[in-house]
Amino acid sequence: MVTGKSGLTYADAGVDIDAGNALVDRIKPAAKRTMRPGTMGGLGGFGALFDLKAAGYNDPVLVAATDGVGTKLRIAIDTGVVDTIGIDLVAMCVNDLVCQGAEPLFFLDYFATGKLEINEATRIINGIAAGCHASGCALIGGETAEMPGMYHKGDFDLAGFAVGAMERGGELPSGVREGDVLLGLSSSGVHSNGYSFVRKVVELSGLGWDAASPFSDGTLGEALLVPTRLYVKQVLAAVRAGGVHALAHITGGGLTENPPRVLPDGLACEIDLTSWTLPPVFRWLAETAVMAEAELLKTFNCGIGMIAVVAADRADTLTALLAAEGETVTRIGQVVAGEGVVYRGHLL
């Protein structure tokens, strides 16, 4: 029973509505920078509107994707380095969209925490806006949830939802055939998969997040928080140039599980593991964990974050185009008769 002249308020229960409103005001400039043709209105409504006709589509097919960043969040929380985790969130959604042949149009985020810290939340959402801007994708809405009792002090969670479109008939994969060439686009690091394993390896190593990284400059925490590479604009340029039959985003399941998702029955990917050099972060993880190569290939991207399956007679042209767009491109193999992935050579 409440005694005294004043009753309980929502703030007494741990939820500060004024803080939520202040956060919206803080992030409006960042969201405004992501606006693109088709955007209608701003943040703060009960829903977010988008005009497909104004975005230039005549007969669009919509594509939706949702994702999070997994336990990479734990490292961001423990180190306090939260400025780029929003880029990871966007990348995990929009990189999937482009694999369908779709242009990402808009993005919504969900940010949940026990107690809203406005400065930290602003840094996180500014990162989301940066990822959207780099992908040509508008940040048109989201939800900030303050839930005391659900999260330990300082903890938070993130989820994202992206919608894209292509003109009808432009869906991928399409036309994959034996003899197609596999172009591997380099990753920026571990991206946002396998971090429960990464954290276990770091625990085994005895190193702290603030220790010098054994495989790069900076601290170990900073090295493992390098954000997921965004492939959107580069890959869409290649798709529009013609000759791209499929795209595979190398996420959970690594190089073993993801490429077969874009192949018709009866076809396999033959990948030459000697065609690129395993980046130092993966070599360190493998050596520290005494990891079998097969497990490495099934867990991580191993330095290849996206694979484009392209017509053989377009491979050189598309390699040059993607390189001009800023990608490091390697011809890593071809489509052959069979099932799954066939590896040639070794990474380790």
Side-chain angles (χ1 to χ4, degrees):
M1 180 176 179
V2 178
T3 60
K5 294 182 179 180
S6 298
L8 280 173
T9 66
Y10 207 0
D12 293 328
V15 179
D16 189 341
I17 293 175
D18 291 336
N21 292 334
L23 175 62
V24 171
D25 288 338
R26 285 269 197 102
I27 64 176
K28 278 182 178 178
K32 187 175 181 180
R33 288 194 292 271
T34 71
M35 297 300 97
R36 51 153 296 149
T39 304
M40 300 174 64
L43 302 181
F46 287 102
L49 307 179
F50 193 89
D51 185 343
L52 282 168
K53 187 174 181 180
Y57 287 90
N58 296 313
D59 187 16
V61 174
L62 294 179
V63 183
T66 187
D67 213 333
V69 293
T71 58
K72 190 173 186 177
L73 280 178
R74 186 73 262 160
I75 304 177
I77 292 167
D78 290 348
T79 61
V81 181
V82 299
D83 301 271
T84 59
I85 201 72
I87 297 175
D88 287 290
L89 181 67
V90 175
M92 295 305 291
C93 295
V94 298
N95 286 345
D96 279 355
L97 281 186
V98 295
C99 290
Q100 304 296 131
E103 173 194 17
L105 299 176
F106 59 84
F107 190 87
L108 297 97
D109 68 275
Y110 174 78
F111 172 69
T113 186
K115 178 173 176 54
L116 183 60
E117 299 292 342
I118 296 175
N119 290 335
E120 180 185 62
T122 300
R123 292 164 61 197
I124 293 165
I125 298 173
N126 280 344
I128 294 172
C132 287
H133 181 71
S135 304
C137 182
L139 177 59
I140 62 173
E143 167 69 3
T144 300
E146 192 173 30
M147 299 191 289
M150 288 291 291
Y151 295 92
H152 294 298
K153 181 175 180 171
D155 283 0
F156 63 87
D157 200 7
L158 287 175
F161 178 81
V163 171
M166 84 281 281
E167 293 291 356
R168 193 175 304 277
E171 300 91 339
L172 292 178
S174 176
V176 177
R177 60 181 66 94
E178 188 174 353
D180 279 354
V181 171
L182 307 179
L183 299 180
L185 309 186
S186 294
S187 66
S188 56
V190 183
H191 284 184
S192 297
N193 296 101
Y195 271 85
S196 294
F197 185 87
V198 169
R199 289 167 49 242
K200 183 67 175 177
V201 174
V202 171
E203 181 183 332
L204 290 172
S205 76
L207 296 173
W209 300 126
D210 58 351
S213 169
F215 52 82
S216 65
D217 295 333
T219 67
L220 180 58
E222 290 167 345
L224 291 172
L225 285 170
V226 172
T228 304
R229 185 161 179 78
L230 291 155
Y231 297 101
V232 173
K233 292 184 177 180
Q234 311 91 296
V235 164
L236 286 177
V239 170
R240 288 162 183 159
V244 176
H245 293 162
L247 295 160
H249 185 201
I250 310 305
T251 54
L255 288 166
T256 301
E257 300 290 340
N258 288 290
R261 296 167 64 181
V262 303
L263 300 178
D265 291 342
L267 293 180
C269 285
E270 182 181 76
I271 296 179
D272 179 4
L273 297 177
T274 68
S275 60
W276 78 96
T277 300
L278 184 69
V281 59
F282 299 108
R283 187 167 296 279
W284 179 78
L285 287 166
E287 290 175 352
T288 304
V290 194
M291 197 175 192
E293 185 175 75
E295 185 70 14
L296 181 71
L297 290 163
K298 194 174 181 180
T299 305
F300 297 115
N301 66 62
C302 297
I304 302 295
M306 180 79 75
I307 293 176
V309 182
V310 307
D313 63 356
R314 295 285 294 162
D316 290 342
T317 298
L318 290 170
T319 296
L321 183 155
L322 286 163
E325 293 285 334
E327 290 301 319
T328 300
V329 189
T330 305
R331 190 181 293 219
I332 63 170
Q334 61 185 333
V335 176
V336 297
E339 296 290 338
V341 175
V342 178
Y343 292 117
R344 305 296 183 199
H346 296 280
L347 276 175
L348 293 175

